[in-house]
């Protein structure tokens, strides 16, 4: 595991979301103070919805909302109004309840029938935002990530092609078990971030979390292991249920 990884063990899911919300706000204020803007990539699935709801409920007017820019670490290959859309979930839980300017939200065009074209378009949007030329990996101020029971993160699933991507920022990744493509940040883009926060809650994640943090399996089988930021800070926010298979020392 990366030497920069920190595991914050919280008791309940509510404690986890509270701690993650505090880190989110700290990261936002630090980034705006140092770089005049906060560029964050949200994760999808079900776990982060509670974090987004908490951020919206405590949405302080003092937060620099107009300097905060929202991206997605991955997206399903569906339209933005589809029940499985990560954008739809974040819009319901956060964007629709906070004064974030619409121009500050960069969603993936999941409605594009050509997933590779959607990935290429998203990559261009990211490069344009950061003024990052080809060959350079932009540094997000914060990337939120989840952990699947199979050890995947973002849409980097075990033994899938996107795990091998070394130069692109965003890839269309065929996921055989779902018989669908996903659009996902690549490992070089994830690992360039200033900060990454994993949010892992629930007993069903305990075996994967143990393997990722303490096990010997290769990263191709547990892709979350491959999130190893060079100069970035990596924090795992885990609740007691998810941490139930970790050794006491971790
Ligand atoms: C997605 C996510 C994915 C998620 C994990 C955990 O698009 O589904 O980005 O990587 O974080 O699958 O999902 P849950 O939080 O729903 O368990």
């Amino acid at each position: 595991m990366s030497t920069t990884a920190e595991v914050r063990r919280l008791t309940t899911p509510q404690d986890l979301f509270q701690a993650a919300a505090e880190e989110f706000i700290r990261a936002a204020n630090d980034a705006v103070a140092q770089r005049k803007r906060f560029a964050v990539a949200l994760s999808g699935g079900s776990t982060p919805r509670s974090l987004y709801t908490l951020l919206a409920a405590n949405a302080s007017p003092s937060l620099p909302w107009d300097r905060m820019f929202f991206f997605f670490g991955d997206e399903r290959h569906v339209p933005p109004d589809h029940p499985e859309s990560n954008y739809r979930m974040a819009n319901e839980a956060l964007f629709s309840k906070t004064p974030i300017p619409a121009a500050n939200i960069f969603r993936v065009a999941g409605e594009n029938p050509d997933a590779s074209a959607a990935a290429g378009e998203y990559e261009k949007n990211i490069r344009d935002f950061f003024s990052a030329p080809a060959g350079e990996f932009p540094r997000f101020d914060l990337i939120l990530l989840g952990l699947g029971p199979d050890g995947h993160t973002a849409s980097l699933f075990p033994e899938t092609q996107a795990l091998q991507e070394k130069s692109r920022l965003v890839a269309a990744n065929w996921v055989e078990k779902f018989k669908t493509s996903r659009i996902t940040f690549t490992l070089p883009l994830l690992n360039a971030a200033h900060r990454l926060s994993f949010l892992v809650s629930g007993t069903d994640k305990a075996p994967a979390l143990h393997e990722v943090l303490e096990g010997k399996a290769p990263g191709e089988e547990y892709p979350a292991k491959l999130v190893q930021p060079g100069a970035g800070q990596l924090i795992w926010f885990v609740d007691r249920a998810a941490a139930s298979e970790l050794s006491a020392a971790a």
Side-chain angles (χ1 to χ4, degrees):
M1 200 63 232
S2 157
T3 49
T4 58
E6 175 190 343
V7 180
R8 287 197 198 162
R9 293 188 191 211
L10 290 311
T11 304
T12 67
Q14 290 67 32
D15 297 336
L16 184 161
F17 297 124
Q18 182 59 40
E22 288 165 9
E23 175 67 17
F24 184 100
I25 289 163
R26 188 178 308 118
N29 286 317
D30 286 356
V32 170
Q34 292 166 31
R35 291 180 284 275
K36 308 256 183 288
R37 60 101 175 88
F38 176 56
V40 58
L42 303 181
S43 64
S46 56
T47 303
R49 181 188 279 268
S50 302
L51 169 62
Y52 305 157
T53 300
L54 189 61
L55 287 170
N58 300 336
S60 156
S62 66
L63 266 175
W65 294 105
D66 64 329
R67 305 304 303 143
M68 296 167 68
F69 299 85
F70 291 80
F71 295 77
F72 288 84
D74 72 318
E75 184 56 279
R76 286 79 183 281
H77 192 199
V78 296
D81 59 353
H82 190 284
E84 288 193 14
S85 164
N86 289 338
Y87 166 81
R88 172 174 156 172
M89 183 270 283
N91 188 44
E92 286 171 352
L94 181 63
F95 303 149
S96 60
K97 297 182 167 64
T98 47
I100 300 166
N104 289 24
I105 299 166
F106 297 80
R107 69 172 185 83
V108 180
E111 68 276 19
N112 186 332
D114 180 344
S116 294
E121 177 192 338
Y122 203 52
E123 172 152 343
K124 183 178 183 315
N125 293 345
I126 292 170
R127 287 199 178 284
D128 289 349
F129 176 84
F130 284 95
S131 304
E136 192 178 294
F137 292 103
R139 300 194 68 193
F140 277 85
D141 296 299
L142 176 63
I143 299 179
L144 299 179
L145 292 169
L147 178 68
D150 60 358
H152 83 263
T153 191
S155 284
L156 299 167
F157 286 82
E159 315 291 352
T160 56
Q161 191 56 40
L163 293 178
Q164 309 309 321
E165 182 56 55
K166 299 286 186 278
S167 54
R168 288 198 185 98
L169 306 183
V170 183
N173 197 26
W174 177 257
V175 185
E176 182 61 25
K177 69 177 175 180
F178 297 146
K179 295 279 188 273
T180 185
S181 288
R182 293 274 191 96
I183 293 99
T184 185
F185 278 15
T186 60
L187 286 164
L189 183 57
L190 294 179
N191 286 330
H194 285 285
R195 284 177 157 129
L196 297 113
S197 291
F198 272 96
L199 277 59
V200 189
S201 172
T203 312
D204 65 319
K205 306 294 177 73
L209 186 65
H210 164 70
E211 181 52 55
V212 168
L213 294 182
E214 301 177 335
K216 301 274 183 282
E220 281 64 33
E221 292 174 21
Y222 286 85
K225 282 189 175 195
L226 300 173
V227 176
Q228 304 264 343
Q233 176 200 48
L234 171 58
I235 302 178
W236 290 81
F237 294 90
V238 303
D239 63 14
R240 181 164 47 190
S244 57
E245 294 190 17
L246 294 184
S247 56

